[in-house]
PDB file of all heavy atoms in Angstrom:
ATOM      1  N   LEU A 634      14.174  32.145  -2.857  1.00  0.00           N
ATOM      2  CA  LEU A 634      14.377  32.229  -4.306  1.00  0.00           C
ATOM      3  C   LEU A 634      13.782  31.020  -5.016  1.00  0.00           C
ATOM      4  O   LEU A 634      13.375  31.110  -6.173  1.00  0.00           O
ATOM      5  CB  LEU A 634      15.880  32.311  -4.630  1.00  0.00           C
ATOM      6  CG  LEU A 634      16.619  33.518  -4.072  1.00  0.00           C
ATOM      7  CD1 LEU A 634      18.109  33.383  -4.335  1.00  0.00           C
ATOM      8  CD2 LEU A 634      16.082  34.791  -4.713  1.00  0.00           C
ATOM      9  N   VAL A 666      20.861  38.541  -0.490  1.00  0.00           N
ATOM     10  CA  VAL A 666      20.073  38.775  -1.701  1.00  0.00           C
ATOM     11  C   VAL A 666      18.889  39.668  -1.347  1.00  0.00           C
ATOM     12  O   VAL A 666      18.199  39.411  -0.358  1.00  0.00           O
ATOM     13  CB  VAL A 666      19.528  37.446  -2.281  1.00  0.00           C
ATOM     14  CG1 VAL A 666      18.771  37.706  -3.579  1.00  0.00           C
ATOM     15  CG2 VAL A 666      20.644  36.462  -2.494  1.00  0.00           C
ATOM     16  N   GLY A 667      18.630  40.682  -2.169  1.00  0.00           N
ATOM     17  CA  GLY A 667      17.489  41.564  -1.940  1.00  0.00           C
ATOM     18  C   GLY A 667      17.912  43.009  -2.042  1.00  0.00           C
ATOM     19  O   GLY A 667      19.108  43.330  -1.941  1.00  0.00           O
ATOM     20  N   ALA A 668      16.928  43.877  -2.267  1.00  0.00           N
ATOM     21  CA  ALA A 668      17.261  45.286  -2.460  1.00  0.00           C
ATOM     22  C   ALA A 668      16.242  46.210  -1.805  1.00  0.00           C
ATOM     23  O   ALA A 668      16.160  47.396  -2.111  1.00  0.00           O
ATOM     24  CB  ALA A 668      17.350  45.570  -3.962  1.00  0.00           C
ATOM     25  N   GLY A 669      15.438  45.636  -0.894  1.00  0.00           N
ATOM     26  CA  GLY A 669      14.457  46.442  -0.171  1.00  0.00           C
ATOM     27  C   GLY A 669      15.033  46.933   1.153  1.00  0.00           C
ATOM     28  O   GLY A 669      16.230  46.769   1.429  1.00  0.00           O
ATOM     29  N   ASP A 670      14.171  47.507   1.983  1.00  0.00           N
ATOM     30  CA  ASP A 670      14.625  48.022   3.278  1.00  0.00           C
ATOM     31  C   ASP A 670      15.162  46.918   4.179  1.00  0.00           C
ATOM     32  O   ASP A 670      16.135  47.111   4.907  1.00  0.00           O
ATOM     33  CB  ASP A 670      13.473  48.746   3.996  1.00  0.00           C
ATOM     34  CG  ASP A 670      13.288  50.148   3.463  1.00  0.00           C
ATOM     35  OD1 ASP A 670      14.293  50.785   3.110  1.00  0.00           O
ATOM     36  OD2 ASP A 670      12.135  50.608   3.382  1.00  0.00           O
ATOM     37  N   THR A 671      14.514  45.732   4.118  1.00  0.00           N
ATOM     38  CA  THR A 671      14.990  44.637   4.962  1.00  0.00           C
ATOM     39  C   THR A 671      16.394  44.229   4.549  1.00  0.00           C
ATOM     40  O   THR A 671      17.290  44.081   5.389  1.00  0.00           O
ATOM     41  CB  THR A 671      14.053  43.409   4.864  1.00  0.00           C
ATOM     42  OG1 THR A 671      12.745  43.814   5.227  1.00  0.00           O
ATOM     43  CG2 THR A 671      14.514  42.290   5.776  1.00  0.00           C
ATOM     44  N   GLU A 674      18.844  46.867   5.596  1.00  0.00           N
ATOM     45  CA  GLU A 674      19.041  46.867   7.047  1.00  0.00           C
ATOM     46  C   GLU A 674      19.893  45.656   7.463  1.00  0.00           C
ATOM     47  O   GLU A 674      20.826  45.772   8.271  1.00  0.00           O
ATOM     48  CB  GLU A 674      17.667  46.790   7.723  1.00  0.00           C
ATOM     49  CG  GLU A 674      17.626  47.356   9.101  1.00  0.00           C
ATOM     50  CD  GLU A 674      16.194  47.589   9.548  1.00  0.00           C
ATOM     51  OE1 GLU A 674      15.507  46.619   9.878  1.00  0.00           O
ATOM     52  OE2 GLU A 674      15.761  48.751   9.538  1.00  0.00           O
ATOM     53  N   ARG A 691      18.850  42.438  -8.085  1.00  0.00           N
ATOM     54  CA  ARG A 691      18.520  41.845  -9.395  1.00  0.00           C
ATOM     55  C   ARG A 691      18.323  42.875 -10.507  1.00  0.00           C
ATOM     56  O   ARG A 691      18.413  42.548 -11.679  1.00  0.00           O
ATOM     57  CB  ARG A 691      17.303  40.939  -9.286  1.00  0.00           C
ATOM     58  CG  ARG A 691      16.004  41.635  -8.991  1.00  0.00           C
ATOM     59  CD  ARG A 691      14.863  40.646  -9.014  1.00  0.00           C
ATOM     60  NE  ARG A 691      13.638  41.246  -8.505  1.00  0.00           N
ATOM     61  CZ  ARG A 691      12.497  40.606  -8.378  1.00  0.00           C
ATOM     62  NH1 ARG A 691      12.411  39.340  -8.711  1.00  0.00           N
ATOM     63  NH2 ARG A 691      11.432  41.221  -7.915  1.00  0.00           N
ATOM     64  N   ARG A 692      18.004  44.121 -10.134  1.00  0.00           N
ATOM     65  CA  ARG A 692      17.841  45.172 -11.160  1.00  0.00           C
ATOM     66  C   ARG A 692      19.051  46.108 -11.104  1.00  0.00           C
ATOM     67  O   ARG A 692      20.006  45.861 -10.391  1.00  0.00           O
ATOM     68  CB  ARG A 692      16.564  45.968 -10.892  1.00  0.00           C
ATOM     69  CG  ARG A 692      15.304  45.157 -11.141  1.00  0.00           C
ATOM     70  CD  ARG A 692      14.054  45.987 -11.001  1.00  0.00           C
ATOM     71  NE  ARG A 692      13.789  46.395  -9.613  1.00  0.00           N
ATOM     72  CZ  ARG A 692      13.473  47.634  -9.229  1.00  0.00           C
ATOM     73  NH1 ARG A 692      13.414  48.616 -10.114  1.00  0.00           N
ATOM     74  NH2 ARG A 692      13.223  47.903  -7.965  1.00  0.00           N
ATOM     75  N   ARG A 696      15.362  49.110  -4.296  1.00  0.00           N
ATOM     76  CA  ARG A 696      14.033  49.561  -3.915  1.00  0.00           C
ATOM     77  C   ARG A 696      14.051  50.258  -2.539  1.00  0.00           C
ATOM     78  O   ARG A 696      13.139  51.027  -2.212  1.00  0.00           O
ATOM     79  CB  ARG A 696      13.121  48.328  -3.829  1.00  0.00           C
ATOM     80  CG  ARG A 696      11.702  48.595  -3.435  1.00  0.00           C
ATOM     81  CD  ARG A 696      11.030  47.262  -3.114  1.00  0.00           C
ATOM     82  NE  ARG A 696      10.875  46.440  -4.308  1.00  0.00           N
ATOM     83  CZ  ARG A 696       9.735  46.363  -4.996  1.00  0.00           C
ATOM     84  NH1 ARG A 696       8.689  47.027  -4.601  1.00  0.00           N
ATOM     85  NH2 ARG A 696       9.660  45.600  -6.049  1.00  0.00           N
ATOM     86  N   ALA A 752      16.813  38.021   1.724  1.00  0.00           N
ATOM     87  CA  ALA A 752      15.964  39.059   2.333  1.00  0.00           C
ATOM     88  C   ALA A 752      15.103  39.685   1.245  1.00  0.00           C
ATOM     89  O   ALA A 752      15.230  40.857   0.908  1.00  0.00           O
ATOM     90  CB  ALA A 752      16.834  40.119   3.022  1.00  0.00           C
ATOM     91  N   ILE A 753      14.232  38.838   0.668  1.00  0.00           N
ATOM     92  CA  ILE A 753      13.420  39.319  -0.456  1.00  0.00           C
ATOM     93  C   ILE A 753      11.952  39.470  -0.045  1.00  0.00           C
ATOM     94  O   ILE A 753      11.063  39.484  -0.889  1.00  0.00           O
ATOM     95  CB  ILE A 753      13.564  38.401  -1.692  1.00  0.00           C
ATOM     96  CG1 ILE A 753      13.130  36.965  -1.366  1.00  0.00           C
ATOM     97  CG2 ILE A 753      15.005  38.404  -2.195  1.00  0.00           C
ATOM     98  CD1 ILE A 753      13.061  36.069  -2.600  1.00  0.00           C
ATOM     99  N   GLY A 754      11.724  39.614   1.249  1.00  0.00           N
ATOM    100  CA  GLY A 754      10.379  39.885   1.730  1.00  0.00           C
ATOM    101  C   GLY A 754       9.760  38.706   2.468  1.00  0.00           C
ATOM    102  O   GLY A 754      10.270  37.589   2.434  1.00  0.00           O
ATOM    103  N   ASN A 797       5.522  43.869  10.481  1.00  0.00           N
ATOM    104  CA  ASN A 797       6.492  43.722   9.382  1.00  0.00           C
ATOM    105  C   ASN A 797       7.763  44.520   9.660  1.00  0.00           C
ATOM    106  O   ASN A 797       8.583  44.714   8.775  1.00  0.00           O
ATOM    107  CB  ASN A 797       5.879  44.129   8.033  1.00  0.00           C
ATOM    108  CG  ASN A 797       5.771  45.631   7.878  1.00  0.00           C
ATOM    109  OD1 ASN A 797       5.937  46.367   8.850  1.00  0.00           O
ATOM    110  ND2 ASN A 797       5.497  46.100   6.684  1.00  0.00           N
TER     111      ASN A 797
HETATM  112  P1  NDP B1244      10.248  44.472  -0.221  1.00  0.00           P
HETATM  113  O1  NDP B1244       9.118  43.760  -0.896  1.00  0.00           O
HETATM  114  O2  NDP B1244      10.180  45.928  -0.007  1.00  0.00           O
HETATM  115  O3  NDP B1244      11.570  44.195  -1.058  1.00  0.00           O
HETATM  116  C1  NDP B1244      11.892  42.928  -1.537  1.00  0.00           C
HETATM  117  C2  NDP B1244      13.175  43.061  -2.326  1.00  0.00           C
HETATM  118  O4  NDP B1244      13.567  41.742  -2.720  1.00  0.00           O
HETATM  119  C3  NDP B1244      13.029  43.897  -3.604  1.00  0.00           C
HETATM  120  O5  NDP B1244      14.131  44.712  -3.761  1.00  0.00           O
HETATM  121  C4  NDP B1244      12.942  42.846  -4.701  1.00  0.00           C
HETATM  122  O6  NDP B1244      13.533  43.259  -5.915  1.00  0.00           O
HETATM  123  C5  NDP B1244      13.800  41.737  -4.134  1.00  0.00           C
HETATM  124  N1  NDP B1244      13.409  40.463  -4.677  1.00  0.00           N
HETATM  125  C6  NDP B1244      12.177  39.899  -4.683  1.00  0.00           C
HETATM  126  N2  NDP B1244      12.203  38.688  -5.260  1.00  0.00           N
HETATM  127  C7  NDP B1244      13.499  38.503  -5.653  1.00  0.00           C
HETATM  128  C8  NDP B1244      14.165  37.447  -6.305  1.00  0.00           C
HETATM  129  N3  NDP B1244      13.537  36.350  -6.693  1.00  0.00           N
HETATM  130  N4  NDP B1244      15.493  37.586  -6.550  1.00  0.00           N
HETATM  131  C9  NDP B1244      16.168  38.691  -6.155  1.00  0.00           C
HETATM  132  N5  NDP B1244      15.584  39.735  -5.525  1.00  0.00           N
HETATM  133  C10 NDP B1244      14.264  39.621  -5.266  1.00  0.00           C
HETATM  134  O7  NDP B1244      10.472  43.642   1.152  1.00  0.00           O
HETATM  135  P2  NDP B1244      11.196  44.105   2.493  1.00  0.00           P
HETATM  136  O8  NDP B1244      11.155  42.917   3.383  1.00  0.00           O
HETATM  137  O9  NDP B1244      12.504  44.703   2.216  1.00  0.00           O
HETATM  138  O10 NDP B1244      10.244  45.219   3.104  1.00  0.00           O
HETATM  139  C11 NDP B1244       8.846  44.950   3.348  1.00  0.00           C
HETATM  140  C12 NDP B1244       8.210  46.246   3.873  1.00  0.00           C
HETATM  141  O11 NDP B1244       8.682  46.513   5.175  1.00  0.00           O
HETATM  142  C13 NDP B1244       8.536  47.465   3.018  1.00  0.00           C
HETATM  143  O12 NDP B1244       7.421  48.308   2.986  1.00  0.00           O
HETATM  144  C14 NDP B1244       9.669  48.122   3.764  1.00  0.00           C
HETATM  145  O13 NDP B1244       9.769  49.507   3.516  1.00  0.00           O
HETATM  146  C15 NDP B1244       9.278  47.813   5.210  1.00  0.00           C
HETATM  147  N6  NDP B1244      10.453  47.804   6.081  1.00  0.00           N
HETATM  148  C16 NDP B1244      10.757  48.923   6.763  1.00  0.00           C
HETATM  149  C17 NDP B1244      11.855  48.965   7.556  1.00  0.00           C
HETATM  150  C18 NDP B1244      12.143  50.208   8.316  1.00  0.00           C
HETATM  151  O14 NDP B1244      11.438  51.167   8.130  1.00  0.00           O
HETATM  152  N7  NDP B1244      13.163  50.217   9.141  1.00  0.00           N
HETATM  153  C19 NDP B1244      12.752  47.815   7.729  1.00  0.00           C
HETATM  154  C20 NDP B1244      12.370  46.696   6.928  1.00  0.00           C
HETATM  155  C21 NDP B1244      11.257  46.709   6.141  1.00  0.00           C
HETATM  156  P3  NDP B1244      12.841  44.358  -6.869  1.00  0.00           P
HETATM  157  O15 NDP B1244      13.113  45.668  -6.220  1.00  0.00           O
HETATM  158  O16 NDP B1244      13.582  44.154  -8.154  1.00  0.00           O
HETATM  159  O17 NDP B1244      11.397  43.992  -6.949  1.00  0.00           O
END
Side-chain angles (χ1 to χ4, degrees):
L634 299 174
V666 183
D670 280 325
T671 303
E674 205 165 75
R691 68 176 170 182
R692 291 185 291 133
R696 180 192 292 261
I753 59 172
N797 76 348

